Amino acid sequence: MAKDSNTSDPATDVAQSGNGSSDNGSGNGSIFKRIGGKASHAARGLLGYFRLLTCAEPSKADIALLIVGAISSIAAGIPFPLLGILFGQLLDDLDSATCASQESISPAEYQASVNSKVLLVMACALAQMALVYIYIVSFNLFGERLAHRLRDRYFRSLLRQEVSFFDKLPAGEVSSRLSADINIIKSGTSEKVGVYLGSLSMFITSYIVAFIKDARLAGILVSLVPAFMLMSLVGGHFIGKYSALASQHVAAASSIALESLSNVMVVHAFRANDRLEEKFSKELVAAKTNGSKKAMVTAVQSGLLYFIAFAASGLAYWQGSKIIADVVGGRTEGVTVGTVYTIIFLLVDASLVLSQISPYLQLFGSATAALEKLEVDMERQSKIDGTVPLQGNDFESFSGDIKLENVDFTYPSRPDVPVIQGVSLHLPAGQHTAVVGLSGSGKSTIAGLLTRLYDPDQGIVYVDGRNICEANVRQLRSFIGLVQQDPLLLDRSVLENIALGLVNSSRPEHASLQTVLLGTQLSLVAKSVRDGQDIIAAAEAHGDQALEIVKKVQRAANLADAEVFLGNLEYGLGTVVGPNGDLLSGGQKQRVALARALVKDPKILILDEATSSLDSASEQRIQGAIEKVCVGRTVVSIAHRLATVKNADNIVVMRNGRVIEQGRHLDLMAKDGDYAALVRLQNVGSETSSISTAKGSLSKETNHSGIDIEKVSESLTIAKEKTQEEIVDGAEATEKEEKAPEKSRPTWATIKSMTSVTRPHLFWLFVALFASVIVGGTYSGSALIFGHTIGALSPCNSEDSIRTAGSFFALMFLVLAIAEFFANGVSWSAFGWVAQKVLYTIRILSFRSLFEQDLQWHQSENRTPSMLLAYITSDSAAVEGLTGSIIGSTFSICVNFLAAVILTLIIAWKIAIVCLATIPLMLGSGIMQIRILTRFAERHEKAFAKSVSITVEAVNSIKTVAALSLEHEVLGTYRRSLSAPRKEMTRSSLWANLFLAIAFSLSNLIYAFIYWWGAKQIIASHYTQVQFFIVLVALLVSAQLWGQLFTLAPEITRAGRSAGKIFDLIDLGSSKTLSDKNSNSRDPEAAIESKRSAVSNGQGIAVSFKQVRFSYPARPNRQVLKGLDIEIRPGQFCALVGPSGAGKSTVISLLERMYSVESGSIEVDGLDISAKKEPIFRDEIGLVPQDSVLFDGSIRFNIALGARPGTEPSDADIEEACKLANIHDTIVALPDGYDTQCGPSGGQLSGGQKQRLSIARALVRKPRLLLLDESTSALDAESERLLQDGLEKATRGITVVAIAHRLHTIRRADVIFMIEDGRCVERGSHEELLIRSESYRVNVLHQTLEG
């Protein structure tokens, strides 16, 4: 094979796909569009299909495959009409043998003439077999390669788009496009194209032969063509329309599912699965409706096909009988029964085969519709393309001087809400500028503008005096290191994550490292480390560059204070961080992200809330490290904790998108303006008696009180790092988990489950099957009529009897045509309708079952959200094939087979029994092909799932990918994930399709054999011609249909496997049908309990941990809690403090019963929570998680998710919760108020707004126990104070458990528990701990900040 266009360098590829390749690599885009405008939908569909075949930059090898495939498939259609001529001649021989009884010809001579023709038939059949094999392999490879190129090109074009494009494109939709839509295209461009072309060529050749034989008779049958064409075009238009609508709704549903799967802890905590399921099912209902409409149109189309074919046969026989009567009467000559037979046999068979391939038109239509959807994204020109390679040098010498002049900005998704208004700022080179202000004041937006994730609407951003909108995006980003507010890591090892910072670096010495960074060496180093090798030794094995990268990574990790926690992870830098980095704690993710920014030694460092999730001691150390690193570079830090920025060269204070004051810390304090007010709010001592807030009282002198801060920090760190509670690395566990081979579900079990899902639709299923029985029976019926017609038209009979018989049998054909029309219409529409219903049911049940599984299940066995999403997208799409028209076709083919066997055995058993002996040959070759295909699919399933999760991850973390310029790196990883199945594709295709070709062509070999045997019987006078022809046609049609059935084999095997996977998943859940929602009836205690919780008395709940020991399932040998004892009385406000990684967040996960404890017990309200089957107790708990997770939907929808299951909160309830969370005014100020869309993952809102909304969501539940995990880390001091007041109102009388690193948020707590190393080491109020605990006192000192 020629070198493929896709094996080229990803770097040039991503860029090229932007260079105006909007005509799909075929240069005729605009012409197509012009023609399309004038032509009808049908013509446009046809042109669209040709465009599909040549889209996505095909290589020479692809074009060659297409041409070879097309030529050989057209050639493969030619042998059949030649056979028709031979059979006509054989028939004349038989006639002359029986009829004129010319004694002069001996049986031996007659047999010899038959034999010579049979040999010719065999030659034709073998030629056909070779051609079929060539075209099937060619198209099969062509389709696979096209799918591969399209995936590649689509993903490449996505990576080019600017960040705001993704506000409207959820990752779920991307995954649905890449799996479902591209599979539709693959199935519409593979061997079926060859089958279609072959049938078409056979159809045309048949007409040519027929016209040569007898133009008048052939002319009558030409009426078939316009009728077929009209029906296909009109039907195709509607089918395309409805299938596009249906897949649109499925894509929307899958993005809801993906978002819910990505945030499964929040869904569980609020028991919000029912509400999300409702939203999910709304989209699926629309998909079901459109799918059913599509099925109806297809049904009418296929009914018409058969009607036209059979009605035309009737017409031809009637006309043929008149011609033969004339010949017998001596009025015409030259036309024999053989001629009439050849013409009718060819044209009817050609039309029948054409009708058999009508489902393919639907496949081709769907494929074109799928391409059009992909093209919308593929041809979009990006506004900020970070993949364009650098031409020349935009910055001669780069110093990092930044100026903003009159910058205005609104987010494209909310153009009516100004985020930044008229900002002019100077951020001098080599200085540290801090940006502070209320949440939502536009601080993070400034970071987005400087890295050119967005462009300003008005005004200009200059870097080194150059307008950044004119500079090369990739080069600009090479000078910048960015740490984002929500640090996202990619699902790889810590080593690879930090090294990603080097991918786009402006330092010339980093250029030589690119080959290692873009290759697989680092992942191999990480793997060796996980296998127990030393990291330096592992790196040395991969060369000097790998070693240099590892050393740079270690240095950066050290600067970012990540050394110690990495030292405590089992595999250190080799640890895999999980999807989005979820297997690390918030603080650990932040440190890795910081190391990633520092590793490339950037000229400009932008820190957006880079230490918000850290405890004071770590923050202090990182602060010191950053200050050392900062020397000589431009640093922009955005912070809410003012203690972290008091040493900045300039502090910019923002409010409502404007700059209101700026200056150094002391100057701003002296001004006593907004900044000074924020500082006062943040001082820990401001409301406690034990530390005076008089100016200067906490200045340096206080430090002489005998506390050596450095030493305490060290001891704190060591304590903290011994524990590390975070759920690092599901990979660690899965590396060790015994790799049990996946058991595939037995077929009978799948069938049994399928039966239970289809049970509600049994009536329609029976109707459909009954109609399929009729369809199957009519094939044998046509054989009976055909045999009798041939007998009746024999020239031995009188003129009148030929005419009468002709009219009678023509009428019979018409009756058959009408029966076919209704039977096909009913069968297809009923099957289609049932298929849509079943599909809807299994999608809902899969969704339900996924959310009934606990967090532990979701995090084990390498499960990722995008992998689980495949159940709902690609697997259920495959099952659709199994339930719809394919089942109908399969069933009618089987019925026909059975009918044919019985009929032929009755009519002429000697001929039939020999025919039947050949059937196992056909079946065997079909079964072999199915087995080979199944094996290939099973082997590469994991690779395909992995490739989809890479794309979903890239879309989810698009800001990170863009800011670090990882487009080429991600594309390279994506291609590598698919390289194994690609290499093997050719081999598997050559082997599997050999059997398909045999199955296809055996029918003609068998045909030749039967003719020879039949002629023998007739010559021996055992059977008549009529009997022979009935047997021949009945079995021949059966054989041909079997060949067709095997082309459906790949669909059927894929569907069977997918159905097995889906039912395995549904079996894990509690409901097997849509109606039996998780009812309480099975757990009477739960029913009483839920009644009790509904009548909540507003009193707090008591909580106690008794000797709780726990380690995460991913790392069973490392305990996180080591005998924790905590007692919280009803109505107490209790706070958990301690270093990051001490086990605080674990306490909250265990309180929500996300995991099970190893020993000890947790009691909530006096009941042991592990004793309950259903977690009803969660209804009493409101959770505010560390990452404020919101869903794509309105603000109102998001807050309502927090309400107790089964209750719908009123608008007044929602507003009250928002007022308490201090966000009501912000929402009301938005143009759509509470109906404002939050965007995927709440991406339209600032960090602080998301945090307050997630607090409102917890409060709307009116919980008796409120869990706050770092609930104010993204808030500025003023919002925080207002929120504290609101919370104080909201939490009167209820129990509150709060985790915070900011001590002033919890100084009002009734009791503070100091957690270190999985135990509670101190408890008491703020004042008591200041006196008793030295480490507590040090933490307070770190956070105090006075002018």
Side-chain angles (χ1 to χ4, degrees):
M1 295 254 153
K3 182 177 185 298
D4 197 335
S5 66
N6 293 55
T7 49
S8 56
D9 167 32
T12 49
D13 274 3
V14 183
Q16 277 167 359
S17 65
N19 299 342
S21 57
S22 58
D23 60 359
N24 253 335
S26 62
N28 307 336
S30 54
I31 302 171
F32 277 139
K33 286 185 183 114
R34 281 207 298 282
I35 297 172
K38 294 174 195 153
S40 66
H41 279 299
R44 211 164 42 232
L46 199 62
L47 285 174
Y49 187 71
F50 286 129
R51 217 180 59 214
L52 166 65
L53 292 178
T54 55
C55 71
E57 303 121 29
S59 64
K60 290 196 175 107
D62 293 302
I63 301 289
L65 282 172
L66 184 60
I67 292 170
V68 169
I71 291 172
S72 53
S73 55
I74 290 168
I78 294 169
F80 187 79
L82 302 180
L83 294 174
I85 299 173
L86 289 169
F87 292 145
Q89 291 169 349
L90 280 167
L91 177 62
D92 283 340
D93 283 356
L94 292 177
D95 261 345
S96 42
T98 49
C99 179
S101 59
Q102 295 159 330
E103 298 307 325
S104 55
I105 298 186
S106 69
E109 270 177 71
Y110 176 58
Q111 187 69 54
S113 115
V114 167
N115 288 355
S116 66
K117 283 173 186 137
V118 165
L119 287 172
L120 281 173
V121 172
M122 294 212 29
C124 282
L126 290 170
Q128 190 183 16
M129 181 147 109
L131 290 167
V132 166
Y133 179 62
I134 294 170
Y135 85 67
I136 285 185
V137 169
S138 301
F139 275 114
N140 199 294
L141 287 174
F142 176 80
E144 289 277 4
R145 290 167 65 105
L146 173 65
H148 186 88
R149 291 201 315 276
L150 272 175
R151 277 196 192 100
D152 198 283
R153 170 135 187 243
Y154 181 65
F155 188 36
R156 239 161 52 205
S157 59
L158 280 186
L159 290 173
R160 272 183 14 242
Q161 303 305 335
E162 71 275 13
V163 170
S164 53
F165 168 76
F166 293 93
D167 294 343
K168 301 184 196 63
L169 184 80
E173 197 157 320
V174 172
S175 128
S176 153
R177 294 257 183 286
L178 278 167
S179 46
D181 287 359
I182 286 187
N183 278 341
I184 289 174
I185 289 177
K186 188 168 86 178
S187 140
T189 51
S190 299
E191 63 278 358
K192 298 188 183 56
V193 185
V195 175
Y196 195 78
L197 282 177
S199 309
L200 211 57
S201 116
M202 164 187 143
F203 183 78
I204 292 165
T205 320
S206 301
Y207 267 99
I208 293 170
V209 169
F211 270 103
I212 293 169
K213 288 277 187 189
D214 181 7
R216 190 168 141 216
L217 186 52
I220 291 174
L221 288 176
V222 168
S223 59
L224 284 169
V225 180
F228 275 141
M229 293 309 278
L230 188 70
M231 176 212 68
S232 298
L233 296 180
V234 175
H237 163 65
F238 285 106
I239 288 169
K241 174 178 152 186
Y242 292 128
S243 62
L245 283 170
S247 70
Q248 214 170 317
H249 288 294
V250 171
S254 43
S255 62
I256 295 168
L258 179 66
E259 204 168 32
S260 311
L261 286 168
S262 306
N263 305 316
V264 75
M265 177 163 176
V266 175
V267 177
H268 277 339
F270 288 109
R271 295 180 68 213
N273 32 354
D274 290 354
R275 285 192 170 85
L276 289 164
E277 185 185 306
E278 194 182 322
K279 189 178 171 195
F280 177 71
S281 67
K282 222 177 252 155
E283 291 293 346
L284 287 184
V285 167
K288 180 174 74 174
T289 313
N290 284 303
S292 305
K293 286 180 184 168
K294 180 177 103 174
M296 301 295 172
V297 177
T298 316
V300 172
Q301 192 180 18
S302 104
L304 274 172
L305 258 171
Y306 286 99
F307 176 77
I308 295 167
F310 281 123
S313 300
L315 180 68
Y317 280 118
W318 172 65
Q319 197 55 36
S321 66
K322 284 166 72 173
I323 296 172
I324 287 173
D326 285 348
V327 171
V328 170
R331 285 184 291 282
T332 333
E333 55 186 33
V335 176
T336 62
V337 181
T339 316
V340 173
Y341 169 68
T342 294
I343 293 172
I344 296 176
F345 166 75
L346 286 183
L347 297 193
V348 172
D349 211 79
S351 306
L352 185 76
V353 169
L354 197 64
S355 67
Q356 273 301 310
I357 55 176
S358 71
Y360 294 175
L361 279 178
Q362 181 186 338
L363 283 174
F364 302 153
S366 302
T368 314
L371 174 73
E372 280 165 11
K373 274 198 316 224
L374 292 175
E375 271 182 339
V376 175
D377 292 343
M378 290 199 304
E379 296 186 357
R380 185 179 182 278
Q381 292 298 320
S382 170
K383 296 193 181 78
I384 307 173
D385 187 347
T387 61
V388 178
L390 179 64
Q391 260 97 45
N393 189 1
D394 286 354
F395 299 97
E396 303 306 319
S397 61
F398 190 88
S399 63
D401 185 72
I402 303 171
K403 269 204 187 84
L404 284 78
E405 276 186 12
N406 300 322
V407 172
D408 288 356
F409 177 74
T410 52
Y411 282 102
S413 46
R414 282 215 303 271
D416 36 9
V417 183
V419 182
I420 284 185
Q421 311 178 46
V423 168
S424 293
L425 269 181
H426 181 212
L427 315 175
Q431 293 200 3
H432 179 183
T433 309
V435 184
V436 301
L438 304 186
S439 81
S441 60
K443 303 182 301 298
S444 296
T445 307
I446 287 195
L449 291 173
L450 295 183
T451 42
R452 246 196 111 189
L453 295 176
Y454 300 98
D455 279 341
D457 303 342
Q458 296 282 310
I460 299 177
V461 180
Y462 292 104
V463 171
D464 278 9
R466 193 188 162 100
N467 180 350
I468 63 171
C469 293
E470 294 163 5
N472 177 286
V473 185
R474 197 175 170 79
Q475 190 188 16
L476 172 75
R477 290 175 182 162
S478 73
F479 295 112
I480 300 176
L482 168 70
V483 181
Q484 285 164 318
Q485 194 169 3
D486 309 320
L488 279 170
L489 304 179
L490 301 184
D491 186 3
R492 312 170 186 194
S493 66
V494 177
L495 170 67
E496 291 163 273
N497 266 296
I498 297 178
L500 288 176
L502 291 165
V503 168
N504 181 26
S505 163
S506 58
R507 305 271 169 195
E509 62 269 24
H510 294 164
S512 61
L513 308 175
Q514 293 305 311
T515 43
V516 175
L517 291 167
L518 294 173
T520 52
Q521 287 94 319
L522 290 181
S523 64
L524 295 172
V525 171
K527 191 173 182 316
S528 310
V529 173
R530 290 196 294 277
D531 293 342
Q533 215 178 332
D534 171 62
I535 189 158
I536 298 294
E540 278 169 345
H542 291 280
D544 298 343
Q545 290 159 330
L547 183 61
E548 191 182 335
I549 292 173
V550 167
K551 286 185 172 156
K552 282 190 187 320
V553 166
Q554 286 177 323
R555 210 164 26 242
N558 206 357
L559 284 175
D561 190 42
E563 267 309 57
V564 193
F565 94 76
L566 285 171
N568 280 304
L569 295 179
E570 193 167 349
Y571 303 126
L573 284 169
T575 307
V576 178
V577 300
N580 300 335
D582 285 347
L583 299 173
L584 298 182
S585 74
Q588 291 170 337
K589 276 200 279 196
Q590 246 173 1
R591 281 175 276 185
V592 173
L594 184 59
R596 182 174 65 189
L598 293 174
V599 75
K600 74 168 165 189
D601 193 14
K603 298 275 178 58
I604 300 178
L605 185 60
I606 301 176
L607 306 170
D608 186 356
E609 285 282 354
T611 55
S612 59
S613 304
L614 299 179
D615 57 283
S616 306
S618 316
E619 185 167 53
Q620 184 93 348
R621 274 196 308 283
I622 290 183
Q623 216 48 48
I626 289 177
E627 277 168 21
K628 268 193 242 128
V629 175
C630 288
V631 182
R633 73 181 86 214
T634 313
V635 178
V636 182
S637 57
I638 293 165
H640 288 312
R641 288 198 204 169
L642 302 180
T644 61
V645 295
K646 68 178 177 211
N647 297 339
D649 299 307
N650 187 23
I651 296 174
V652 177
V653 185
M654 293 186 70
R655 182 188 281 270
N656 297 334
R658 299 179 193 280
V659 174
I660 48 175
E661 57 181 5
Q662 50 180 313
R664 292 183 79 91
H665 173 70
L666 293 171
D667 307 339
L668 290 172
M669 288 306 290
K671 253 194 199 165
D672 205 22
D674 275 52
Y675 179 75
L678 288 173
V679 168
R680 279 196 292 279
L681 284 169
Q682 275 201 12
N683 267 336
V684 181
S686 56
E687 277 182 32
T688 57
S689 50
S690 47
I691 295 185
S692 136
T693 50
K695 281 198 193 301
S697 67
L698 267 172
S699 61
K700 299 278 183 288
E701 298 85 273
T702 332
N703 274 356
H704 300 312
S705 57
I707 306 171
D708 180 342
I709 292 195
E710 280 303 304
K711 237 184 212 144
V712 178
S713 301
E714 282 307 301
S715 66
L716 257 178
T717 312
I718 289 158
K720 144 182 140 199
E721 306 300 5
K722 276 199 206 110
T723 65
Q724 272 323 320
E725 52 106 346
E726 277 59 38
I727 356 160
V728 184
D729 186 23
E732 287 184 9
T734 39
E735 298 277 330
K736 299 215 179 93
E737 270 174 35
E738 63 302 346
K739 294 236 164 65
E742 279 189 31
K743 293 199 296 289
S744 60
R745 186 185 179 92
T747 313
W748 62 266
T750 305
I751 293 171
K752 193 172 148 203
S753 309
M754 199 71 187
T755 325
S756 73
V757 178
T758 43
R759 195 170 294 129
H761 318 297
L762 274 185
F763 172 71
W764 286 110
L765 206 60
F766 278 127
V767 168
L769 288 174
F770 180 67
S772 290
V773 170
I774 294 174
V775 173
T778 48
Y779 292 129
S780 298
S782 68
L784 263 176
I785 298 172
F786 180 78
H788 281 293
T789 313
I790 290 294
L793 299 189
S794 168
C796 321
N797 303 335
S798 69
E799 193 178 334
D800 285 349
S801 74
I802 290 177
R803 284 182 199 278
T804 337
S807 304
F808 172 73
F809 287 120
L811 188 66
M812 287 288 90
F813 268 113
L814 185 66
V815 171
L816 208 56
I818 294 167
E820 271 283 2
F821 174 70
F822 287 109
N824 258 296
V826 170
S827 150
W828 281 59
S829 50
F831 271 123
W833 186 81
V834 171
Q836 291 301 324
K837 290 278 196 195
V838 167
L839 202 57
Y840 172 76
T841 307
I842 61 176
R843 279 185 170 140
I844 297 277
L845 290 179
S846 312
F847 184 87
R848 201 176 286 172
S849 176
L850 282 171
F851 288 101
E852 281 179 12
Q853 308 316 314
D854 56 14
L855 196 60
Q856 207 155 326
W857 183 86
H858 280 267
Q859 289 179 345
S860 52
E861 288 183 30
N862 274 345
R863 293 187 181 100
T864 64
S866 51
M867 216 173 87
L868 295 173
L869 179 69
Y871 285 111
I872 290 165
T873 52
S874 43
D875 288 337
S876 47
V879 174
E880 182 175 14
L882 192 62
T883 45
S885 48
I886 292 183
I887 285 280
S889 307
T890 311
F891 192 72
S892 50
I893 289 172
C894 295
V895 167
N896 162 51
F897 181 66
L898 205 70
V901 169
I902 295 168
L903 177 76
T904 52
L905 284 173
I906 292 171
I907 286 176
W909 68 268
K910 276 186 188 166
I911 301 179
I913 214 147
V914 172
C915 299
L916 289 175
T918 59
I919 283 170
L921 280 173
M922 295 183 72
L923 288 187
S925 57
I927 289 164
M928 278 302 294
Q929 188 221 1
I930 292 187
R931 284 195 50 195
I932 290 171
L933 284 173
T934 318
R935 240 181 277 143
F936 175 75
E938 272 168 5
R939 255 204 312 277
H940 297 301
E941 190 167 21
K942 285 275 190 304
F944 288 120
K946 173 85 179 123
S947 70
V948 172
S949 64
I950 292 172
T951 54
V952 169
E953 177 177 62
V955 171
N956 276 334
S957 38
I958 191 69
K959 281 186 182 163
T960 307
V961 170
L964 295 169
S965 298
L966 301 179
E967 296 90 352
H968 305 149
E969 200 280 339
V970 171
L971 185 67
T973 313
Y974 174 72
R975 287 176 175 172
R976 283 196 295 277
S977 72
L978 286 175
S979 62
R982 240 189 130 188
K983 282 201 191 85
E984 210 185 284
M985 191 170 75
T986 315
R987 208 174 67 233
S988 125
S989 179
L990 287 169
W991 186 226
N993 292 312
L994 178 63
F995 293 101
L996 184 62
I998 293 173
F1000 242 112
S1001 312
L1002 264 176
S1003 59
N1004 287 330
L1005 290 171
I1006 290 171
Y1007 210 166
F1009 172 65
I1010 295 174
Y1011 241 103
W1012 171 79
W1013 176 248
K1016 240 182 149 48
Q1017 301 302 313
I1018 291 172
I1019 291 167
S1021 303
H1022 291 162
Y1023 291 112
T1024 65
Q1025 235 174 311
V1026 175
Q1027 290 168 310
F1028 170 62
F1029 273 108
I1030 291 173
V1031 173
L1032 180 77
V1033 174
L1035 290 178
L1036 174 78
V1037 170
S1038 281
Q1040 268 182 336
L1041 292 177
W1042 271 111
Q1044 301 263 301
L1045 186 60
F1046 285 116
T1047 57
L1048 298 175
E1051 264 82 357
I1052 294 175
T1053 48
R1054 197 179 319 138
R1057 280 198 16 268
S1058 296
K1061 275 170 61 180
I1062 290 176
F1063 288 121
D1064 280 340
L1065 172 69
I1066 291 175
D1067 288 348
L1068 292 174
S1070 58
S1071 33
K1072 301 287 174 278
T1073 62
L1074 286 181
S1075 49
D1076 61 339
K1077 255 284 175 50
N1078 210 335
S1079 56
N1080 288 329
S1081 54
R1082 264 167 291 159
D1083 186 350
E1085 270 181 67
I1088 298 163
E1089 199 178 321
S1090 65
K1091 278 201 190 77
R1092 200 176 76 187
S1093 79
V1095 209
S1096 161
N1097 52 10
Q1099 291 303 302
I1101 299 185
V1103 173
S1104 69
F1105 276 65
K1106 296 180 177 164
Q1107 280 300 309
V1108 172
R1109 292 178 185 279
F1110 171 73
S1111 45
Y1112 281 97
R1115 288 173 307 162
N1117 48 2
R1118 192 165 312 171
Q1119 275 200 340
V1120 178
L1121 299 184
K1122 306 173 178 176
L1124 181 70
D1125 276 309
I1126 297 182
E1127 192 71 49
I1128 303 169
R1129 293 199 299 281
Q1132 263 190 336
F1133 176 6
C1134 117
L1136 306 176
V1137 299
S1140 31
K1144 305 184 299 296
S1145 297
T1146 307
V1147 169
I1148 285 192
S1149 300
L1150 291 176
L1151 261 179
E1152 286 274 15
R1153 207 182 86 188
M1154 296 293 166
Y1155 302 96
S1156 315
V1157 298
E1158 283 167 24
S1159 65
S1161 67
I1162 302 174
E1163 291 183 1
V1164 172
D1165 216 7
L1167 299 167
D1168 184 346
I1169 60 172
S1170 59
K1172 293 277 154 280
K1173 179 167 177 277
E1174 310 243 336
I1176 302 282
F1177 65 88
R1178 285 181 189 157
D1179 294 354
E1180 303 287 3
I1181 305 176
L1183 168 73
V1184 182
Q1186 194 167 3
D1187 303 324
S1188 317
V1189 169
L1190 297 180
F1191 294 87
D1192 191 1
S1194 65
I1195 290 179
R1196 176 179 283 113
F1197 166 78
N1198 266 293
I1199 294 173
L1201 278 181
R1204 295 175 183 231
T1207 56
E1208 212 40 67
S1210 65
D1211 285 356
D1213 292 340
I1214 290 177
E1215 283 174 30
E1216 184 195 353
C1218 288
K1219 282 176 184 153
L1220 290 170
N1222 180 33
I1223 183 121
H1224 176 69
D1225 299 340
T1226 314
I1227 297 173
V1228 177
L1230 294 168
D1232 297 334
Y1234 279 88
D1235 293 321
T1236 303
Q1237 293 297 312
C1238 300
S1241 310
Q1244 303 292 311
L1245 305 171
S1246 77
Q1249 289 165 342
K1250 285 203 283 195
Q1251 212 156 36
R1252 285 175 290 171
L1253 280 177
S1254 67
I1255 291 170
R1257 178 177 61 196
L1259 293 178
V1260 81
R1261 203 178 183 86
K1262 303 203 169 65
R1264 294 170 57 201
L1265 168 59
L1266 184 62
L1267 307 176
L1268 305 171
D1269 187 353
E1270 281 284 351
S1271 62
T1272 58
S1273 60
L1275 296 185
D1276 54 276
E1278 189 175 332
S1279 316
E1280 188 168 29
R1281 198 210 59 221
L1282 291 167
L1283 178 63
Q1284 291 295 346
D1285 298 345
L1287 280 176
E1288 216 154 277
K1289 249 188 285 173
T1291 57
R1292 278 199 193 113
I1294 72 173
T1295 311
V1296 179
V1297 179
I1299 293 180
H1301 289 310
R1302 294 194 194 174
L1303 297 178
H1304 66 274
T1305 55
I1306 48 170
R1307 59 169 180 258
R1308 304 175 181 152
D1310 301 318
V1311 57
I1312 297 172
F1313 295 100
M1314 281 203 71
I1315 312 275
E1316 281 178 22
D1317 197 17
R1319 296 187 182 82
C1320 175
V1321 292
E1322 279 286 3
R1323 63 191 77 201
S1325 65
H1326 175 66
E1327 282 79 3
E1328 290 166 4
L1329 289 178
L1330 269 174
I1331 298 162
R1332 281 213 306 266
S1333 163
E1334 188 164 348
S1335 55
Y1336 186 78
R1337 197 152 63 240
V1338 171
N1339 252 337
V1340 171
L1341 290 179
H1342 276 326
Q1343 290 199 16
T1344 306
L1345 167 169
E1346 270 295 343

